[in-house]
Amino acid sequence: MEAIGVELGKRSYDILIGFDCLPGLGEAMKERGLASDNVAVITSPRIGGLYYDTVEGALHEAGITSVGRWDVPDGEENKSLDNFAAAVRWLARFAPDPSIEPAVVTLGGGVIGDLGGFAAASFRRGVPYVQVPTTLLAAVDSSVGGKTAVNLPEGKNLVGAFYQPRLVYVDLGTLRTLPEREVRSGMAEVIKYGAILDADLFQFLEESVEEALGLEAAVLTRIVSRCVELKAEVVRQDELDRAHVRVCLNFGHTLGHAIEKAADGRLTHGESVAVGMVAAARMSVASGLCEAEVEARLRDLVVRAGLPVRAEGVELERVLAFMAHDKKFIAGRNRFVLLSDIGRWVEREGVPTDLVRRAAREAIS
Ligand code: NAD
Ligand code: GLY
Protein backbone atom coordinates (compact mmCIF):
# COMPACT_ATOMS: atom_id res chain seq x y z
CA MET A 1 0.00 0.00 0.00
CA GLU A 2 1.03 3.61 -0.55
CA ALA A 3 1.56 5.47 2.74
CA ILE A 4 1.40 9.24 2.97
CA GLY A 5 1.88 11.17 6.20
CA VAL A 6 -0.05 14.21 7.35
CA GLU A 7 2.49 16.06 9.51
CA LEU A 8 0.70 17.88 12.29
CA GLY A 9 2.92 17.30 15.33
CA LYS A 10 1.03 15.23 17.90
CA ARG A 11 -1.95 15.05 15.57
CA SER A 12 0.05 13.48 12.69
CA TYR A 13 -1.39 10.45 10.96
CA ASP A 14 -1.00 8.18 7.96
CA ILE A 15 -3.12 7.81 4.87
CA LEU A 16 -2.84 4.28 3.48
CA ILE A 17 -3.97 3.72 -0.11
CA GLY A 18 -4.46 0.35 -1.79
CA PHE A 19 -6.77 -1.76 -3.93
CA ASP A 20 -8.92 -4.48 -2.32
CA CYS A 21 -7.13 -3.94 0.98
CA LEU A 22 -10.16 -3.65 3.29
CA PRO A 23 -9.37 -7.01 4.97
CA GLY A 24 -6.15 -5.40 6.30
CA LEU A 25 -7.93 -2.57 8.14
CA GLY A 26 -7.84 -4.22 11.59
CA GLU A 27 -4.11 -4.93 11.43
CA ALA A 28 -3.38 -1.36 10.29
CA MET A 29 -5.39 -0.06 13.26
CA LYS A 30 -3.67 -2.45 15.64
CA GLU A 31 -0.22 -1.32 14.47
CA ARG A 32 -1.23 2.23 15.40
CA GLY A 33 -2.68 1.41 18.80
CA LEU A 34 -6.24 1.90 17.57
CA ALA A 35 -7.52 -1.60 18.22
CA SER A 36 -9.75 -0.67 21.15
CA ASP A 37 -11.96 -3.40 22.59
CA ASN A 38 -14.93 -1.40 21.33
CA VAL A 39 -14.93 -0.30 17.70
CA ALA A 40 -18.00 1.55 16.50
CA VAL A 41 -18.52 1.56 12.73
CA ILE A 42 -20.64 4.44 11.44
CA THR A 43 -21.86 3.77 7.92
CA SER A 44 -25.05 3.84 5.80
CA PRO A 45 -27.50 1.14 4.73
CA ARG A 46 -26.11 1.12 1.17
CA ILE A 47 -22.40 1.23 2.00
CA GLY A 48 -22.70 -0.96 5.08
CA GLY A 49 -24.64 -3.47 3.00
CA LEU A 50 -21.69 -3.69 0.65
CA TYR A 51 -18.69 -3.50 2.98
CA TYR A 52 -19.60 -3.84 6.66
CA ASP A 53 -19.11 -7.62 6.81
CA THR A 54 -15.57 -7.29 5.41
CA VAL A 55 -14.76 -4.52 7.88
CA GLU A 56 -16.23 -6.44 10.81
CA GLY A 57 -14.24 -9.55 9.81
CA ALA A 58 -11.04 -7.49 9.51
CA LEU A 59 -11.56 -5.99 12.98
CA HIS A 60 -12.32 -9.36 14.60
CA GLU A 61 -9.25 -10.85 12.92
CA ALA A 62 -7.13 -8.17 14.59
CA GLY A 63 -8.48 -9.32 17.97
CA ILE A 64 -11.07 -6.59 18.47
CA THR A 65 -13.82 -8.26 20.44
CA SER A 66 -16.73 -5.84 20.34
CA VAL A 67 -17.62 -4.33 16.96
CA GLY A 68 -20.89 -2.45 16.42
CA ARG A 69 -22.60 -0.80 13.47
CA TRP A 70 -24.69 2.36 13.25
CA ASP A 71 -26.37 3.35 9.99
CA VAL A 72 -27.00 6.94 8.98
CA PRO A 73 -29.46 7.08 6.07
CA ASP A 74 -27.80 7.77 2.69
CA GLY A 75 -27.87 11.29 1.23
CA GLU A 76 -26.76 14.86 1.94
CA GLU A 77 -30.12 15.72 3.53
CA ASN A 78 -29.26 13.21 6.25
CA LYS A 79 -26.03 14.99 7.28
CA SER A 80 -28.20 16.57 9.95
CA LEU A 81 -28.18 17.50 13.61
CA ASP A 82 -30.89 14.88 14.26
CA ASN A 83 -28.81 12.08 12.72
CA PHE A 84 -25.73 13.33 14.57
CA ALA A 85 -27.69 13.18 17.85
CA ALA A 86 -28.89 9.66 17.05
CA ALA A 87 -25.30 8.55 16.31
CA VAL A 88 -23.79 9.93 19.54
CA ARG A 89 -26.67 8.49 21.59
CA TRP A 90 -25.99 5.11 20.01
CA LEU A 91 -22.27 5.53 20.87
CA ALA A 92 -23.29 6.13 24.49
CA ARG A 93 -25.22 2.84 24.49
CA PHE A 94 -22.56 0.93 22.55
CA ALA A 95 -19.66 2.05 24.77
CA PRO A 96 -21.14 2.60 28.25
CA ASP A 97 -17.99 1.65 30.22
CA PRO A 98 -16.07 4.91 30.92
CA SER A 99 -12.85 2.93 31.47
CA ILE A 100 -12.78 1.70 27.85
CA GLU A 101 -12.15 4.31 25.16
CA PRO A 102 -13.93 3.25 21.99
CA ALA A 103 -12.62 3.95 18.49
CA VAL A 104 -14.91 5.06 15.66
CA VAL A 105 -14.57 3.92 12.06
CA THR A 106 -16.42 5.99 9.44
CA LEU A 107 -17.16 3.77 6.45
CA GLY A 108 -18.59 5.78 3.54
CA GLY A 109 -18.46 8.93 1.46
CA GLY A 110 -18.17 12.52 2.63
CA VAL A 111 -21.58 12.52 4.29
CA ILE A 112 -20.68 9.63 6.60
CA GLY A 113 -17.11 10.87 7.12
CA ASP A 114 -18.24 14.38 8.08
CA LEU A 115 -21.06 13.26 10.40
CA GLY A 116 -19.17 10.31 11.88
CA GLY A 117 -16.04 12.43 12.35
CA PHE A 118 -18.08 15.04 14.21
CA ALA A 119 -19.63 12.31 16.38
CA ALA A 120 -16.08 11.09 17.22
CA ALA A 121 -15.01 14.69 17.94
CA SER A 122 -17.90 15.24 20.35
CA PHE A 123 -18.53 11.90 22.06
CA ARG A 124 -16.83 12.06 25.48
CA ARG A 125 -15.16 15.25 24.20
CA GLY A 126 -13.29 13.27 21.56
CA VAL A 127 -12.45 9.65 20.83
CA PRO A 128 -10.03 8.35 18.16
CA TYR A 129 -11.45 7.75 14.70
CA VAL A 130 -10.43 6.22 11.40
CA GLN A 131 -11.75 7.39 8.04
CA VAL A 132 -12.47 4.65 5.50
CA PRO A 133 -13.62 6.63 2.43
CA THR A 134 -15.65 4.80 -0.22
CA THR A 135 -16.16 7.57 -2.80
CA LEU A 136 -13.51 9.20 -4.98
CA LEU A 137 -14.38 12.60 -3.49
CA ALA A 138 -13.96 11.29 0.04
CA ALA A 139 -10.68 9.54 -0.84
CA VAL A 140 -9.02 12.66 -2.29
CA ASP A 141 -10.65 15.35 -0.18
CA SER A 142 -13.10 14.97 2.69
CA SER A 143 -11.39 12.10 4.56
CA VAL A 144 -8.15 14.08 4.90
CA GLY A 145 -7.74 17.23 6.95
CA GLY A 146 -10.10 16.94 9.90
CA LYS A 147 -13.02 19.11 8.80
CA THR A 148 -16.07 17.47 10.37
CA ALA A 149 -19.59 18.87 10.31
CA VAL A 150 -23.32 18.50 9.89
CA ASN A 151 -25.75 20.79 8.10
CA LEU A 152 -28.46 22.98 9.62
CA PRO A 153 -31.64 24.06 7.82
CA GLU A 154 -29.98 27.51 7.93
CA GLY A 155 -26.92 26.38 5.96
CA LYS A 156 -24.40 23.68 5.04
CA ASN A 157 -21.67 22.54 7.46
CA LEU A 158 -22.71 25.16 10.05
CA VAL A 159 -22.02 22.93 13.07
CA GLY A 160 -18.76 21.07 13.24
CA ALA A 161 -15.18 20.91 14.45
CA PHE A 162 -11.64 20.54 13.23
CA TYR A 163 -10.80 17.06 14.49
CA GLN A 164 -8.12 15.01 12.79
CA PRO A 165 -8.56 11.27 12.24
CA ARG A 166 -5.86 8.92 13.54
CA LEU A 167 -5.70 7.01 10.26
CA VAL A 168 -7.22 7.28 6.78
CA TYR A 169 -7.52 3.88 5.11
CA VAL A 170 -8.39 4.03 1.40
CA ASP A 171 -9.46 0.89 -0.46
CA LEU A 172 -9.90 2.06 -4.06
CA GLY A 173 -11.50 -1.30 -4.87
CA THR A 174 -14.65 0.01 -3.16
CA LEU A 175 -15.09 2.49 -6.02
CA ARG A 176 -16.17 -0.40 -8.28
CA THR A 177 -19.65 -0.28 -6.76
CA LEU A 178 -19.88 3.51 -6.86
CA PRO A 179 -22.30 4.81 -9.53
CA GLU A 180 -20.35 6.06 -12.56
CA ARG A 181 -21.78 9.57 -12.14
CA GLU A 182 -20.27 9.74 -8.62
CA VAL A 183 -16.88 8.62 -9.97
CA ARG A 184 -16.98 11.43 -12.55
CA SER A 185 -18.02 13.91 -9.87
CA GLY A 186 -15.04 12.93 -7.74
CA MET A 187 -12.84 13.39 -10.79
CA ALA A 188 -13.73 17.11 -10.75
CA GLU A 189 -11.91 17.43 -7.41
CA VAL A 190 -8.99 15.42 -8.81
CA ILE A 191 -8.72 17.81 -11.77
CA LYS A 192 -8.88 20.70 -9.29
CA TYR A 193 -5.69 19.52 -7.54
CA GLY A 194 -3.82 19.43 -10.84
CA ALA A 195 -5.18 22.81 -11.94
CA ILE A 196 -4.24 24.67 -8.76
CA LEU A 197 -1.18 22.86 -7.45
CA ASP A 198 0.52 20.45 -9.81
CA ALA A 199 1.10 20.86 -13.55
CA ASP A 200 2.63 17.35 -13.75
CA LEU A 201 -0.48 15.79 -12.24
CA PHE A 202 -2.61 17.80 -14.66
CA GLN A 203 -0.54 16.53 -17.59
CA PHE A 204 -0.79 12.94 -16.30
CA LEU A 205 -4.56 13.37 -16.17
CA GLU A 206 -4.52 14.61 -19.75
CA GLU A 207 -2.70 11.39 -20.66
CA SER A 208 -4.83 9.01 -18.63
CA VAL A 209 -8.19 10.36 -17.49
CA GLU A 210 -10.10 7.58 -19.31
CA GLU A 211 -8.07 4.86 -17.54
CA ALA A 212 -8.62 6.61 -14.23
CA LEU A 213 -12.38 6.75 -14.81
CA GLY A 214 -12.23 3.06 -15.74
CA LEU A 215 -10.66 2.46 -12.28
CA GLU A 216 -7.45 1.08 -13.74
CA ALA A 217 -5.58 0.20 -10.53
CA ALA A 218 -2.07 1.54 -11.22
CA VAL A 219 -3.30 4.78 -12.78
CA LEU A 220 -5.92 5.48 -10.14
CA THR A 221 -3.56 4.68 -7.27
CA ARG A 222 -0.96 7.08 -8.67
CA ILE A 223 -3.53 9.85 -9.12
CA VAL A 224 -5.23 9.47 -5.76
CA SER A 225 -1.88 9.22 -3.96
CA ARG A 226 -0.71 12.46 -5.55
CA CYS A 227 -3.96 14.28 -4.69
CA VAL A 228 -3.71 13.08 -1.11
CA GLU A 229 -0.06 14.21 -0.89
CA LEU A 230 -1.11 17.64 -2.12
CA LYS A 231 -3.98 17.87 0.34
CA ALA A 232 -1.75 16.67 3.19
CA GLU A 233 0.71 19.47 2.43
CA VAL A 234 -2.06 22.10 2.26
CA VAL A 235 -3.43 20.89 5.60
CA ARG A 236 0.06 20.86 7.13
CA GLN A 237 0.48 24.51 6.17
CA ASP A 238 -3.01 25.67 7.15
CA GLU A 239 -4.79 23.15 9.35
CA LEU A 240 -7.45 25.58 10.54
CA ASP A 241 -8.08 27.30 7.20
CA ARG A 242 -6.90 30.68 8.46
CA ALA A 243 -3.57 31.18 6.70
CA HIS A 244 -4.84 31.78 3.15
CA VAL A 245 -3.48 28.43 1.93
CA ARG A 246 -6.32 25.94 2.44
CA VAL A 247 -8.52 28.46 0.63
CA CYS A 248 -6.96 27.22 -2.65
CA LEU A 249 -9.19 24.13 -2.37
CA ASN A 250 -12.14 26.41 -3.09
CA PHE A 251 -11.08 26.78 -6.73
CA GLY A 252 -14.28 26.44 -8.79
CA HIS A 253 -16.38 26.21 -5.62
CA THR A 254 -17.51 29.84 -5.25
CA LEU A 255 -19.52 29.83 -8.45
CA GLY A 256 -19.88 26.03 -8.28
CA HIS A 257 -21.71 26.07 -4.93
CA ALA A 258 -24.06 28.80 -6.16
CA ILE A 259 -24.81 26.84 -9.34
CA GLU A 260 -25.33 23.64 -7.32
CA LYS A 261 -27.93 25.38 -5.16
CA ALA A 262 -29.62 27.14 -8.07
CA ALA A 263 -29.83 23.84 -9.98
CA ASP A 264 -32.06 22.42 -7.21
CA GLY A 265 -30.49 18.95 -7.17
CA ARG A 266 -30.15 18.46 -10.93
CA LEU A 267 -26.35 18.69 -10.75
CA THR A 268 -24.01 16.85 -8.42
CA HIS A 269 -21.41 18.73 -6.40
CA GLY A 270 -18.61 17.65 -8.75
CA GLU A 271 -20.56 18.62 -11.85
CA SER A 272 -21.21 22.09 -10.41
CA VAL A 273 -17.55 22.43 -9.42
CA ALA A 274 -16.54 21.48 -12.97
CA VAL A 275 -18.66 24.33 -14.35
CA GLY A 276 -17.27 26.64 -11.64
CA MET A 277 -13.65 25.73 -12.43
CA VAL A 278 -14.03 26.46 -16.14
CA ALA A 279 -15.72 29.78 -15.29
CA ALA A 280 -12.91 30.64 -12.84
CA ALA A 281 -10.34 29.86 -15.55
CA ARG A 282 -12.26 32.17 -17.91
CA MET A 283 -12.20 34.92 -15.26
CA SER A 284 -8.46 34.34 -14.87
CA VAL A 285 -7.89 34.85 -18.60
CA ALA A 286 -10.19 37.90 -18.67
CA SER A 287 -8.28 39.40 -15.72
CA GLY A 288 -5.00 39.01 -17.59
CA LEU A 289 -3.69 36.50 -15.06
CA CYS A 290 -3.05 33.66 -17.51
CA GLU A 291 -3.01 32.66 -21.17
CA ALA A 292 -6.17 31.47 -22.93
CA GLU A 293 -4.50 28.07 -23.29
CA VAL A 294 -4.96 27.47 -19.55
CA GLU A 295 -8.73 27.73 -19.87
CA ALA A 296 -8.70 25.61 -23.05
CA ARG A 297 -6.73 22.77 -21.40
CA LEU A 298 -8.95 22.80 -18.34
CA ARG A 299 -12.11 22.79 -20.44
CA ASP A 300 -10.84 19.89 -22.60
CA LEU A 301 -9.97 17.78 -19.56
CA VAL A 302 -13.33 18.49 -17.90
CA VAL A 303 -15.12 17.42 -21.09
CA ARG A 304 -13.04 14.24 -21.36
CA ALA A 305 -13.95 13.41 -17.76
CA GLY A 306 -17.60 13.46 -18.82
CA LEU A 307 -18.30 16.57 -16.77
CA PRO A 308 -20.29 19.63 -17.88
CA VAL A 309 -18.67 22.97 -18.72
CA ARG A 310 -21.94 24.86 -18.40
CA ALA A 311 -25.14 24.47 -16.43
CA GLU A 312 -27.97 25.18 -18.81
CA GLY A 313 -31.40 26.18 -17.53
CA VAL A 314 -30.17 27.67 -14.27
CA GLU A 315 -31.38 31.19 -13.44
CA LEU A 316 -28.64 33.85 -13.45
CA GLU A 317 -30.16 36.02 -10.70
CA ARG A 318 -30.45 33.03 -8.35
CA VAL A 319 -26.82 32.08 -8.99
CA LEU A 320 -25.68 35.64 -8.25
CA ALA A 321 -27.85 35.82 -5.12
CA PHE A 322 -26.46 32.55 -3.74
CA MET A 323 -22.92 33.66 -4.56
CA ALA A 324 -23.40 36.95 -2.69
CA HIS A 325 -24.02 34.89 0.46
CA ASP A 326 -20.84 32.84 0.06
CA LYS A 327 -19.31 32.48 3.52
CA LYS A 328 -15.87 33.20 2.12
CA PHE A 329 -16.83 36.71 1.03
CA ILE A 330 -15.74 39.36 3.53
CA ALA A 331 -18.14 42.24 4.23
CA GLY A 332 -19.73 41.76 0.82
CA ARG A 333 -16.35 41.91 -0.95
CA ASN A 334 -15.96 38.91 -3.24
CA ARG A 335 -13.01 36.53 -3.13
CA PHE A 336 -12.08 34.06 -5.85
CA VAL A 337 -9.36 31.50 -6.32
CA LEU A 338 -8.03 32.00 -9.85
CA LEU A 339 -5.19 30.57 -11.94
CA SER A 340 -1.98 32.21 -13.12
CA ASP A 341 -1.02 29.00 -14.94
CA ILE A 342 -1.84 25.30 -14.82
CA GLY A 343 -0.68 24.25 -11.35
CA ARG A 344 -0.55 27.80 -9.94
CA TRP A 345 -3.34 29.46 -8.03
CA VAL A 346 -3.83 33.02 -6.81
CA GLU A 347 -6.43 34.49 -4.49
CA ARG A 348 -8.16 37.65 -5.71
CA GLU A 349 -10.42 39.93 -3.67
CA GLY A 350 -12.85 42.44 -5.11
CA VAL A 351 -13.01 41.04 -8.65
CA PRO A 352 -15.04 43.59 -10.73
CA THR A 353 -18.75 42.77 -10.57
CA ASP A 354 -19.20 42.93 -14.35
CA LEU A 355 -16.51 40.25 -14.77
CA VAL A 356 -18.18 37.98 -12.20
CA ARG A 357 -21.58 38.55 -13.78
CA ARG A 358 -20.24 37.74 -17.24
CA ALA A 359 -18.54 34.56 -16.00
CA ALA A 360 -21.76 33.46 -14.27
CA ARG A 361 -23.87 34.24 -17.38
CA GLU A 362 -21.50 32.29 -19.64
CA ALA A 363 -21.51 29.39 -17.17
CA ILE A 364 -25.24 28.90 -17.51
CA SER A 365 -25.84 29.59 -21.21
P1 NAD B 1 -21.91 10.92 -0.32
O1 NAD B 1 -21.23 10.63 0.95
O2 NAD B 1 -23.32 11.41 -0.24
O3 NAD B 1 -21.90 9.61 -1.23
C1 NAD B 1 -22.50 9.65 -2.50
C2 NAD B 1 -23.44 8.47 -2.71
O4 NAD B 1 -22.68 7.31 -2.99
C3 NAD B 1 -24.30 8.13 -1.52
O5 NAD B 1 -25.58 7.79 -1.96
C4 NAD B 1 -23.60 6.92 -0.91
O6 NAD B 1 -24.50 6.06 -0.23
C5 NAD B 1 -23.06 6.22 -2.14
N1 NAD B 1 -21.84 5.47 -1.94
C6 NAD B 1 -20.73 5.84 -1.26
N2 NAD B 1 -19.75 4.96 -1.42
C7 NAD B 1 -20.24 3.97 -2.22
C8 NAD B 1 -19.68 2.81 -2.79
N3 NAD B 1 -18.41 2.49 -2.63
N4 NAD B 1 -20.48 2.03 -3.55
C9 NAD B 1 -21.78 2.38 -3.79
N5 NAD B 1 -22.34 3.49 -3.32
C10 NAD B 1 -21.58 4.28 -2.54
O7 NAD B 1 -21.13 11.96 -1.20
P2 NAD B 1 -19.59 12.38 -1.31
O8 NAD B 1 -19.47 13.04 -2.61
O9 NAD B 1 -18.67 11.28 -0.95
O10 NAD B 1 -19.44 13.48 -0.14
C11 NAD B 1 -20.13 14.70 -0.17
C12 NAD B 1 -20.04 15.31 1.20
O11 NAD B 1 -18.67 15.56 1.52
C13 NAD B 1 -20.76 16.64 1.35
O12 NAD B 1 -21.54 16.61 2.51
C14 NAD B 1 -19.63 17.64 1.51
O13 NAD B 1 -19.99 18.74 2.31
C15 NAD B 1 -18.56 16.81 2.16
N6 NAD B 1 -17.19 17.30 1.97
C16 NAD B 1 -16.43 17.44 3.08
C17 NAD B 1 -15.13 17.87 2.95
C18 NAD B 1 -14.26 17.96 4.17
O14 NAD B 1 -13.15 18.50 4.06
N7 NAD B 1 -14.70 17.46 5.29
C19 NAD B 1 -14.59 18.15 1.69
C20 NAD B 1 -15.40 17.97 0.58
C21 NAD B 1 -16.70 17.54 0.73
N1 GLY C 1 -12.46 20.59 1.14
C1 GLY C 1 -12.00 21.79 1.73
C2 GLY C 1 -11.00 21.63 2.82
O1 GLY C 1 -10.68 20.55 3.24
O2 GLY C 1 -10.51 22.62 3.30
Side-chain angles (χ1 to χ4, degrees):
M1 291 179 85
E2 295 279 328
I4 293 155
V6 184
E7 303 302 331
L8 291 171
K10 286 183 180 156
R11 294 182 308 289
S12 298
Y13 54 95
D14 286 334
I15 301 156
L16 301 180
I17 302 168
F19 237 91
D20 298 327
C21 55
L22 218 42
L25 173 66
E27 281 307 317
M29 286 174 62
K30 199 164 145 187
E31 279 166 20
R32 289 162 181 79
L34 293 166
S36 152
D37 284 342
N38 281 2
V39 175
V41 181
I42 298 183
T43 186
S44 80
R46 183 181 302 159
I47 304 155
L50 290 162
Y51 299 111
Y52 178 75
D53 287 351
T54 309
V55 165
E56 185 187 41
L59 297 174
H60 282 321
E61 211 168 286
I64 297 163
T65 45
S66 168
V67 181
R69 166 177 171 176
W70 182 254
D71 281 4
V72 177
D74 291 277
E76 180 70 30
E77 67 280 13
N78 288 307
K79 203 175 98 175
S80 65
L81 213 43
D82 284 350
N83 284 323
F84 162 78
V88 283
R89 290 193 63 191
W90 170 74
L91 281 173
R93 297 191 297 278
F94 173 71
D97 182 346
S99 67
I100 301 174
E101 183 177 60
V104 169
V105 169
T106 62
L107 173 66
V111 164
I112 298 301
D114 280 13
L115 185 150
F118 186 42
S122 319
F123 182 61
R124 294 198 203 156
R125 301 192 182 88
V127 294
Y129 79 113
V130 177
Q131 289 266 12
V132 182
T134 62
T135 64
L136 183 55
L137 177 137
V140 297
D141 192 355
S142 62
S143 66
V144 178
K147 279 190 180 177
T148 72
V150 294
N151 304 326
L152 294 182
E154 288 79 5
K156 204 167 140 64
N157 294 328
L158 280 185
V159 181
F162 282 97
Y163 188 64
Q164 298 295 340
R166 297 276 289 275
L167 171 68
V168 179
Y169 193 88
V170 185
D171 179 352
L172 293 172
T174 61
L175 301 187
R176 287 192 202 97
T177 53
L178 192 63
E180 198 189 315
R181 191 174 178 195
E182 293 291 342
V183 177
R184 291 184 192 282
S185 281
M187 197 55 72
E189 303 288 353
V190 168
I191 292 172
K192 179 188 79 179
Y193 283 107
I196 56 173
L197 291 168
D198 187 345
D200 290 343
L201 170 64
F202 193 91
Q203 192 183 329
F204 185 64
L205 288 167
E206 289 178 319
E207 287 159 16
S208 62
V209 70
E210 287 81 9
E211 286 92 331
L213 288 166
L215 308 183
E216 211 267 273
V219 170
L220 194 62
T221 306
R222 175 169 164 186
I223 288 171
V224 170
S225 300
R226 184 61 189 142
C227 292
V228 163
E229 258 172 19
L230 292 165
K231 175 129 192 199
E233 178 54 21
V234 166
V235 170
R236 187 189 67 73
Q237 289 181 34
D238 186 11
E239 183 183 5
L240 302 181
D241 206 356
R242 287 180 190 151
H244 290 269
V245 176
R246 202 162 170 164
V247 67
C248 72
L249 302 174
N250 291 329
F251 176 63
H253 283 59
T254 307
L255 190 54
H257 273 150
I259 286 176
E260 188 178 358
K261 283 192 203 158
D264 291 325
R266 279 182 289 121
L267 292 177
T268 65
H269 176 71
E271 288 163 354
S272 312
V273 166
V275 175
M277 288 194 298
V278 173
R282 215 164 32 234
M283 282 166 66
S284 310
V285 176
S287 310
L289 284 167
C290 66
E291 303 294 326
E293 193 208 352
V294 170
E295 182 205 339
R297 283 178 70 189
L298 182 62
R299 173 186 293 267
D300 284 354
L301 187 55
V302 162
V303 170
R304 280 176 55 202
L307 290 160
V309 293
R310 64 175 68 81
E312 280 162 27
V314 173
E315 255 181 66
L316 178 63
E317 294 309 323
R318 289 189 75 208
V319 173
L320 293 171
F322 281 128
M323 205 161 33
H325 289 107
D326 191 293
K327 62 178 187 282
K328 284 132 206 139
F329 288 8
I330 302 167
R333 204 169 150 77
N334 71 40
R335 277 200 299 172
F336 284 88
V337 176
L338 301 177
L339 298 180
S340 62
D341 201 346
I342 294 290
R344 283 173 178 267
W345 65 279
V346 284
E347 192 182 12
R348 280 287 180 269
E349 247 187 63
V351 176
T353 318
D354 59 332
L355 202 69
V356 176
R357 209 181 158 83
R358 178 152 40 105
R361 193 178 338 101
E362 286 170 2
I364 59 167
S365 53

